[in-house]
Amino acid sequence: VRGGRTYYHWQADLLPRIELLRQSNIDFAAIDFFAVNSCDLPFQQDSLQLLGIPPEKIIESTKLPHIKAKKLLVPSLPGQVGLIAKWSSEFLRETFLPQKATPKLDQPRRLYITRQTASYRQVVNEEELVQFLSQYGFVKISLESLSFAEQIGLFAVADAIVAPHWAGLTNAVYCQAGTRI
């Protein structure tokens, strides 16, 4: 999918396509390979593993752009590019929420999601912002340092989230109703 190396497009466009195969009653064991953009990022590996797709069945189109197949199944995009379809959100929640890490008692419920390690679109006065938000119980979190399951677990129990607009907010799909963003 376009942008398949990014967190948002991976979850909004690529993973639901795998669900379309499942909904078509296609036996995953009968599929020789699954072609994806890449699979070198931890969230990609973790999500495919949670879907039961073993690493040896994954072909990365960035490494092997020309594929010859006797039979090729290509599921449609799950909706409009840039919008997560309702059924896709439900699929992500039903599939990954039950498998998330159990929240710890000391896990923060008010999150400030930083873009500190990003190469662009950083918050220029972030230290001031973090100091201000800490008065209200917000904790600075770098999503890049967390596993896929840990990210889901954080968003699943969060009461409030402050973040600049970016792909990390894709995890809002795992929030409870009433979480303030």
Side-chain angles (χ1 to χ4, degrees):
V1 298
R2 190 174 131 212
R5 283 190 53 83
T6 65
Y7 194 77
Y8 170 80
H9 288 288
W10 182 265
Q11 287 199 66
D13 299 332
L14 191 136
L15 294 178
R17 292 177 88 176
I18 294 172
E19 175 60 8
L20 287 174
L21 292 173
R22 188 185 326 248
Q23 287 181 11
S24 298
N25 294 320
I26 294 170
D27 179 13
F28 278 25
I31 296 176
D32 295 326
F33 298 101
F34 292 82
V36 299
N37 297 65
S38 64
C39 196
D40 56 336
L41 299 170
F43 70 85
Q44 295 168 324
Q45 296 165 2
D46 292 349
S47 58
L48 291 175
Q49 180 184 13
L50 290 170
L51 287 173
I53 299 172
E56 61 272 9
K57 282 193 158 197
I58 298 168
I59 292 177
E60 298 178 67
S61 64
T62 52
K63 294 178 182 173
L64 298 168
H66 305 286
I67 300 169
K68 184 177 181 179
K70 290 180 183 174
K71 185 176 183 180
L72 188 63
L73 302 171
V74 183
S76 306
L77 282 170
Q80 289 182 301
V81 174
L83 299 173
I84 298 180
K86 183 179 178 187
W87 74 266
S88 294
S89 296
E90 292 167 354
F91 152 70
L92 292 170
R93 289 180 61 78
E94 290 168 9
T95 303
F96 298 117
L97 269 175
Q99 300 187 54
K100 69 173 175 53
T102 305
K104 301 173 183 114
L105 292 177
D106 62 344
Q107 186 168 326
R109 307 285 188 206
R110 291 179 167 211
L111 313 174
Y112 168 67
I113 309 299
T114 182
R115 280 188 54 87
Q116 186 174 7
T117 61
S119 58
Y120 59 95
R121 287 196 326 237
Q122 295 175 327
V123 176
V124 293
N125 64 336
E126 185 171 73
E127 286 314 309
E128 283 178 62
L129 179 61
V130 169
Q131 285 180 356
F132 175 78
L133 290 173
S134 68
Q135 299 173 73
Y136 300 97
F138 282 83
V139 175
K140 181 178 169 182
I141 303 288
S142 174
L143 293 179
E144 296 88 345
S145 67
L146 303 174
S147 71
F148 182 60
E150 288 170 327
Q151 291 183 46
I152 292 169
L154 269 178
F155 277 72
V157 298
D159 295 327
I161 300 165
V162 173
H165 176 72
W166 69 296
L169 283 175
T170 304
N171 289 317
V173 75
Y174 303 110
C175 289
Q176 300 173 47
T179 301
R180 298 199 182 263
I181 299 178

